[in-house]
Amino acid sequence: MELRCCGDVKDPNMITASKRLVLRYYWPEDIAPIFKSYTGDLGSTKYLARHPHTEIEQTEKMLQNFSVPESMALTGKCIWVVDAIREGGAIGLITVVKSKDSMVVHFGIGRPYRGCGYAAEALVLTAQHLLAEDHAIRVNTFTDVENVAAQMALAKAGFRFTTRTKKFYQAPQLNGEYRDVFHYEFRG
Protein backbone atom coordinates (compact mmCIF):
# COMPACT_ATOMS: atom_id res chain seq x y z
CA MET A 1 0.00 0.00 0.00
CA GLU A 2 1.52 3.31 -0.99
CA LEU A 3 1.28 6.47 1.07
CA ARG A 4 -1.09 8.85 -0.68
CA CYS A 5 1.06 11.89 -0.14
CA CYS A 6 3.99 13.21 -2.03
CA GLY A 7 6.00 16.41 -1.91
CA ASP A 8 3.82 19.40 -1.18
CA VAL A 9 0.65 17.64 -2.40
CA LYS A 10 -1.06 16.28 0.66
CA ASP A 11 -3.86 13.74 0.74
CA PRO A 12 -6.90 15.38 2.37
CA ASN A 13 -7.28 12.19 4.43
CA MET A 14 -3.86 12.65 6.06
CA ILE A 15 -3.74 14.43 9.41
CA THR A 16 -0.07 14.26 10.41
CA ALA A 17 2.97 12.02 10.01
CA SER A 18 6.38 11.05 11.34
CA LYS A 19 9.09 8.93 9.71
CA ARG A 20 7.34 5.74 10.88
CA LEU A 21 3.65 6.62 11.17
CA VAL A 22 0.86 8.41 9.37
CA LEU A 23 -2.33 9.43 11.17
CA ARG A 24 -5.15 9.69 8.69
CA TYR A 25 -8.81 9.05 8.01
CA TYR A 26 -9.71 5.53 6.92
CA TRP A 27 -9.38 3.98 3.52
CA PRO A 28 -11.69 1.05 2.63
CA GLU A 29 -8.72 -1.36 2.66
CA ASP A 30 -8.20 -0.58 6.39
CA ILE A 31 -11.43 -2.24 7.49
CA ALA A 32 -10.33 -5.90 7.43
CA PRO A 33 -6.94 -5.45 9.13
CA ILE A 34 -8.39 -3.17 11.83
CA PHE A 35 -11.16 -5.69 12.51
CA LYS A 36 -8.77 -8.64 12.63
CA SER A 37 -6.06 -7.13 14.83
CA TYR A 38 -8.00 -4.66 16.97
CA THR A 39 -11.77 -4.06 16.97
CA GLY A 40 -12.66 -7.75 16.71
CA ASP A 41 -9.84 -9.04 18.91
CA LEU A 42 -10.90 -10.06 22.44
CA GLY A 43 -7.55 -9.17 24.02
CA SER A 44 -7.37 -5.78 22.32
CA THR A 45 -10.79 -4.74 23.58
CA LYS A 46 -10.46 -6.00 27.16
CA TYR A 47 -10.45 -2.54 28.77
CA LEU A 48 -12.94 -0.86 26.44
CA ALA A 49 -16.45 0.28 27.37
CA ARG A 50 -17.83 -1.78 24.50
CA HIS A 51 -17.88 -5.38 23.37
CA PRO A 52 -15.47 -6.47 20.64
CA HIS A 53 -16.91 -6.32 17.15
CA THR A 54 -18.22 -9.72 16.09
CA GLU A 55 -18.69 -8.83 12.43
CA ILE A 56 -16.50 -6.83 10.08
CA GLU A 57 -19.53 -4.68 9.17
CA GLN A 58 -19.45 -3.17 12.68
CA THR A 59 -15.92 -1.92 12.11
CA GLU A 60 -16.83 -0.71 8.63
CA LYS A 61 -19.82 1.27 9.94
CA MET A 62 -17.77 2.76 12.79
CA LEU A 63 -15.06 3.96 10.40
CA GLN A 64 -17.58 5.27 7.85
CA ASN A 65 -19.29 7.32 10.58
CA PHE A 66 -16.32 8.56 12.57
CA SER A 67 -13.20 8.38 10.38
CA VAL A 68 -14.00 11.04 7.80
CA PRO A 69 -13.02 14.72 7.81
CA GLU A 70 -16.57 15.81 8.77
CA SER A 71 -16.78 13.55 11.84
CA MET A 72 -15.60 16.04 14.46
CA ALA A 73 -17.95 18.79 13.32
CA LEU A 74 -20.93 16.45 13.07
CA THR A 75 -20.44 14.26 16.15
CA GLY A 76 -17.83 15.85 18.41
CA LYS A 77 -15.46 12.93 17.85
CA CYS A 78 -13.37 11.35 15.15
CA ILE A 79 -11.23 8.29 14.63
CA TRP A 80 -7.84 8.40 12.97
CA VAL A 81 -6.15 5.34 11.53
CA VAL A 82 -2.60 4.68 12.71
CA ASP A 83 -0.75 3.63 9.56
CA ALA A 84 2.73 2.17 10.07
CA ILE A 85 4.71 2.87 6.92
CA ARG A 86 7.07 -0.10 7.35
CA GLU A 87 4.19 -2.47 8.17
CA GLY A 88 2.34 -1.40 5.06
CA GLY A 89 -0.95 -0.21 6.47
CA ALA A 90 -3.39 0.21 9.31
CA ILE A 91 -2.20 -1.07 12.70
CA GLY A 92 -4.49 0.75 15.13
CA LEU A 93 -6.78 3.65 15.89
CA ILE A 94 -6.70 6.98 17.70
CA THR A 95 -10.06 8.37 18.83
CA VAL A 96 -10.31 12.09 19.50
CA VAL A 97 -13.29 13.47 21.46
CA LYS A 98 -14.02 17.18 21.96
CA SER A 99 -14.56 18.15 25.59
CA LYS A 100 -14.97 21.89 26.31
CA ASP A 101 -11.50 23.44 25.78
CA SER A 102 -9.66 20.12 25.68
CA MET A 103 -9.48 17.03 23.51
CA VAL A 104 -9.66 13.57 25.00
CA VAL A 105 -7.71 10.92 23.11
CA HIS A 106 -8.01 7.16 23.25
CA PHE A 107 -5.78 4.71 21.45
CA GLY A 108 -5.44 1.09 20.46
CA ILE A 109 -2.77 -0.77 18.56
CA GLY A 110 -3.50 -4.18 17.08
CA ARG A 111 -1.96 -7.17 18.81
CA PRO A 112 0.72 -7.99 16.19
CA TYR A 113 2.16 -4.45 16.37
CA ARG A 114 2.54 -3.98 20.11
CA GLY A 115 5.90 -3.51 21.75
CA CYS A 116 7.32 -1.44 18.88
CA GLY A 117 6.66 2.01 20.34
CA TYR A 118 3.84 2.75 17.90
CA ALA A 119 1.30 3.67 20.59
CA ALA A 120 3.57 6.25 22.24
CA GLU A 121 4.58 7.71 18.89
CA ALA A 122 0.95 7.95 17.72
CA LEU A 123 0.01 9.65 21.00
CA VAL A 124 2.78 12.24 20.64
CA LEU A 125 1.79 12.94 17.02
CA THR A 126 -1.84 13.31 18.06
CA ALA A 127 -1.21 15.63 21.00
CA GLN A 128 1.27 17.81 19.11
CA HIS A 129 -1.09 18.11 16.15
CA LEU A 130 -4.12 19.02 18.29
CA LEU A 131 -2.17 21.66 20.21
CA ALA A 132 -0.33 23.11 17.19
CA GLU A 133 -3.52 23.41 15.15
CA ASP A 134 -5.30 25.13 18.07
CA HIS A 135 -7.91 22.40 18.32
CA ALA A 136 -7.49 22.41 22.10
CA ILE A 137 -5.70 24.03 25.00
CA ARG A 138 -5.17 20.65 26.66
CA VAL A 139 -5.00 17.04 25.57
CA ASN A 140 -6.19 14.48 28.11
CA THR A 141 -6.88 10.79 28.35
CA PHE A 142 -7.63 8.05 30.82
CA THR A 143 -6.97 4.35 31.12
CA ASP A 144 -8.06 1.47 33.30
CA VAL A 145 -5.97 1.19 36.47
CA GLU A 146 -4.96 -2.35 35.47
CA ASN A 147 -3.95 -1.49 31.89
CA VAL A 148 -0.22 -1.27 32.56
CA ALA A 149 0.76 -1.36 28.87
CA ALA A 150 -1.36 1.74 28.16
CA GLN A 151 0.05 3.49 31.23
CA MET A 152 3.59 2.82 30.01
CA ALA A 153 2.79 4.13 26.51
CA LEU A 154 1.23 7.28 27.97
CA ALA A 155 4.25 7.96 30.18
CA LYS A 156 6.62 7.41 27.25
CA ALA A 157 4.55 9.83 25.15
CA GLY A 158 4.78 12.62 27.73
CA PHE A 159 1.37 12.24 29.36
CA ARG A 160 1.45 12.76 33.14
CA PHE A 161 -0.85 11.23 35.71
CA THR A 162 -3.29 13.76 37.18
CA THR A 163 -5.91 11.88 39.20
CA ARG A 164 -7.78 8.63 39.79
CA THR A 165 -11.55 8.24 39.45
CA LYS A 166 -13.36 5.32 40.99
CA LYS A 167 -16.00 3.40 39.03
CA PHE A 168 -15.62 5.61 35.95
CA TYR A 169 -16.79 3.23 33.23
CA GLN A 170 -18.38 -0.17 32.74
CA ALA A 171 -16.25 -2.90 31.11
CA PRO A 172 -18.35 -5.55 29.34
CA GLN A 173 -15.43 -7.98 29.03
CA LEU A 174 -14.62 -7.73 32.74
CA ASN A 175 -17.98 -9.08 33.94
CA GLY A 176 -19.61 -5.71 33.29
CA GLU A 177 -18.07 -4.27 36.43
CA TYR A 178 -17.51 -0.57 36.92
CA ARG A 179 -13.82 0.20 36.69
CA ASP A 180 -11.44 2.77 38.15
CA VAL A 181 -9.30 4.84 35.79
CA PHE A 182 -6.16 6.95 35.92
CA HIS A 183 -6.43 10.33 34.16
CA TYR A 184 -3.49 11.83 32.27
CA GLU A 185 -2.66 15.14 30.60
CA PHE A 186 -0.14 15.68 27.83
CA ARG A 187 2.84 17.69 29.03
CA GLY A 188 5.19 16.91 26.14
Side-chain angles (χ1 to χ4, degrees):
M1 178 183 312
E2 70 181 65
L3 179 61
R4 298 177 187 181
C5 166
C6 79
D8 293 330
V9 180
K10 185 173 144 182
D11 181 332
N13 284 339
M14 190 176 101
I15 291 118
T16 189
S18 67
K19 289 183 180 179
R20 294 190 330 149
L21 298 178
V22 174
L23 300 183
R24 59 175 173 74
Y25 297 105
Y26 95 103
W27 297 333
E29 60 264 29
D30 298 329
I31 297 166
I34 290 293
F35 173 74
K36 182 180 178 185
S37 72
Y38 181 60
T39 59
D41 179 63
L42 289 173
S44 296
T45 57
K46 179 179 179 180
Y47 295 112
L48 296 183
R50 67 160 176 80
H51 289 284
H53 291 173
T54 56
E55 298 180 11
I56 196 169
E57 290 80 14
Q58 292 171 283
T59 299
E60 180 178 27
K61 184 176 179 181
M62 177 188 76
L63 293 173
Q64 288 173 341
N65 289 332
F66 298 108
S67 188
V68 293
E70 305 80 30
S71 300
M72 184 61 76
L74 294 173
T75 68
K77 81 175 191 178
C78 64
I79 296 173
W80 298 340
V81 170
V82 179
D83 184 330
I85 297 166
R86 187 177 303 151
E87 305 292 346
I91 63 162
L93 300 174
I94 295 279
T95 301
V96 181
V97 181
K98 185 156 185 59
S99 176
K100 295 182 185 173
D101 60 352
S102 69
M103 290 287 193
V104 179
V105 298
H106 303 287
F107 64 99
I109 300 296
R111 187 180 301 270
Y113 311 105
R114 295 188 192 142
C116 302
Y118 291 136
E121 188 172 341
L123 285 163
V124 170
L125 280 172
T126 299
Q128 288 176 342
H129 173 77
L130 292 171
L131 295 169
E133 298 294 319
D134 293 326
H135 294 294
I137 304 170
R138 291 185 315 275
V139 177
N140 304 304
T141 191
F142 58 86
T143 189
D144 191 284
V145 296
E146 292 181 12
N147 193 346
V148 176
Q151 294 164 28
M152 290 174 31
L154 289 164
K156 185 176 179 183
F159 283 78
R160 301 293 174 247
F161 171 81
T162 57
T163 188
R164 178 181 180 149
T165 302
K166 293 185 180 277
K167 298 183 178 186
F168 187 76
Y169 79 106
Q170 192 172 14
Q173 288 200 80
L174 298 171
N175 299 317
E177 65 185 57
Y178 283 87
R179 308 283 299 171
D180 294 0
V181 298
F182 292 141
H183 294 270
Y184 293 82
E185 184 173 327
F186 182 71
R187 303 274 169 88

